[in-house]
């Protein structure tokens, strides 16, 4: 997959974030938190991932880490220099650490994460001067679409849990 050449840089970001949002839909269909990630170099898709922590029983299988693993295999290199990662939710500290260690040049995210965001909301590990690599950050690309998807997911999950408790108490 390649980005159409006539797009402005802002439209290219939206193009790739839209693809990440489609991957978030895959995660949601599996019962995972709907987060998708896409790794791109020179306008071309290198790898992608979506949350798979529940389906794989792997606490590290966040969308970003899955995309990084797939990219490392595809490029046969653990260094992912001159790449951009697009992700629908601000990376957590684990994912931010992986992005720094893999030398991703730029991280573009949609929705901020006010609880665990490590690209400026709670921490800014991606640009910590103490580390040997810093990532450029672009935020709020398709923010409303991605934030609404996550909000609706957790709203549904809370309703399902409430209903399950109600059903459980009625059956007792």
């Amino acid at each position: 997959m390649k980005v159409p050449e006539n797009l402005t840089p802002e439209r290219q970001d939206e193009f790739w974030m839209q693809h990440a949002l489609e991957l978030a839909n895959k995660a949601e269909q599996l019962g995972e938190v709907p987060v998708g990630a896409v790794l791109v170099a020179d306008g071309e898709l290198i790898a992608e991932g979506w949350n798979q922590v529940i389906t794989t029983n792997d606490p590290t299988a966040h969308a970003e880490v899955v995309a990084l693993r797939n990219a490392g295999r595809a490029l046969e290199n653990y260094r992912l220099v001159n790449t951009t990662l697009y992700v629908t939710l601000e990376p957590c500290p684990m994912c931010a650490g992986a992005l720094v260690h893999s030398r991703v040049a730029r991280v573009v995210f949609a929705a901020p994460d006010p609880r665990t965001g490590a690209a400026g909301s709670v921490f800014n590990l991606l640009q910590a001067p103490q580390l040997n690599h810093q990532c450029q950050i672009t935020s709020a690309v398709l923010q409303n679409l991605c934030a609404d998807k996550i909000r609706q997911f957790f709203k549904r999950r809370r309703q399902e849990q409430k209903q399950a408790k109600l059903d459980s108490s009625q059956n007792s």
Side-chain angles (χ1 to χ4, degrees):
M1 174 181 239
K2 197 167 174 87
V3 69
E5 292 183 24
N6 60 342
L7 297 181
T8 66
E10 294 80 18
R11 293 284 184 231
Q12 288 180 31
D13 286 350
E14 290 173 2
F15 174 87
W16 291 116
M17 191 62 72
Q18 187 63 50
H19 185 62
L21 189 55
E22 292 167 13
L23 297 172
N25 290 334
K26 281 187 173 187
E28 186 172 25
Q29 290 168 0
L30 296 169
E32 302 276 359
V33 176
V35 178
V38 177
L39 192 78
V40 174
D42 298 322
E44 192 167 340
L45 177 68
I46 301 300
E48 57 189 34
W50 53 91
N51 273 1
Q52 298 175 38
V53 297
I54 296 167
T55 53
T56 62
N57 295 309
D58 179 355
T60 67
H62 290 197
E64 301 95 321
V65 172
V66 172
L68 293 175
R69 287 177 184 154
N70 291 337
R73 283 191 290 274
L75 298 175
E76 297 181 345
N77 196 334
Y78 69 104
R79 298 288 190 221
L80 305 173
V81 297
N82 300 320
T83 60
T84 299
L85 182 98
Y86 294 87
V87 62
T88 57
L89 182 65
E90 181 179 1
C92 71
M94 176 187 68
C95 294
L99 290 161
V100 168
H101 285 295
S102 62
R103 307 297 193 269
V104 168
R106 181 171 174 244
V107 175
V108 180
F109 70 89
D113 185 345
R115 294 182 183 197
T116 64
S121 290
V122 178
F123 312 100
N124 192 349
L125 293 178
L126 292 178
Q127 295 180 328
Q130 301 89 339
L131 301 177
N132 62 345
H133 176 76
Q134 291 80 37
C135 304
Q136 294 175 8
I137 299 171
T138 302
S139 61
V141 175
L142 300 185
Q143 178 178 343
N144 292 338
L145 270 173
C146 296
D148 286 346
K149 173 165 274 313
I150 291 169
R151 230 184 333 271
Q152 291 303 317
F153 173 82
F154 282 111
K155 182 178 180 181
R156 259 190 328 277
R157 184 176 269 181
R158 285 189 300 274
Q159 289 170 341
E160 289 166 0
Q161 289 171 343
K162 185 178 179 181
Q163 187 62 46
K165 277 186 179 180
L166 185 62
D167 292 346
S168 174
S169 68
Q170 289 177 348
N171 291 334
S172 298

